[in-house]
Amino acid sequence: ESEHAAYWIKDAFETWAAKSPEAAEDWYQENRSTLGREHHQHIARAYAEQAIKNGELETASQWVEQVEEDKFRASLLRQIEEAEATKN
């Protein structure tokens, strides 16, 4: 346990989703009701970043809505803006 424990779920989930997206999604759907808000926001970050990489900016924006911490939200919004600028 550490003050950063919830944060590390993002990296773990991101790695898992890259290797086995269906299994990661199944786990998330089965366990989302048991996750705290802090854990959920970090999984939302992982999904948003993946959507940005895939050029799915509307999907990314939807996931960003679930990110509560300003520093993470601002970073994701900046990434979306940059992706939109390069798209046009």
Side-chain angles (χ1 to χ4, degrees):
E1 283 297 314
S2 79
E3 65 183 75
H4 303 292
Y7 173 83
W8 294 112
I9 195 172
K10 177 198 174 274
D11 290 337
F13 191 81
E14 194 171 56
T15 299
W16 188 17
K19 292 181 179 184
S20 184
E22 189 173 294
E25 176 65 18
D26 288 347
W27 178 88
Y28 177 62
Q29 292 305 324
E30 289 174 17
N31 293 284
R32 69 186 296 171
S33 64
T34 64
L35 296 173
R37 289 178 24 214
E38 190 174 4
H39 289 98
H40 178 71
Q41 83 161 347
H42 292 302
I43 290 175
R45 288 177 55 217
Y47 275 125
E49 288 178 1
Q50 187 60 48
I52 293 167
K53 288 177 189 173
N54 292 337
E56 300 166 352
L57 304 181
E58 186 174 320
T59 299
S61 294
Q62 291 170 357
W63 281 108
V64 170
E65 291 176 15
Q66 298 176 50
V67 176
E68 296 178 5
E69 288 186 51
D70 290 338
K71 66 181 178 183
F72 296 130
R73 179 186 285 268
S75 174
L76 290 166
L77 290 173
R78 193 170 33 257
Q79 291 176 54
I80 291 170
E81 287 175 12
E82 290 171 1
E84 286 174 339
T86 60
K87 219 176 179 181
N88 297 329

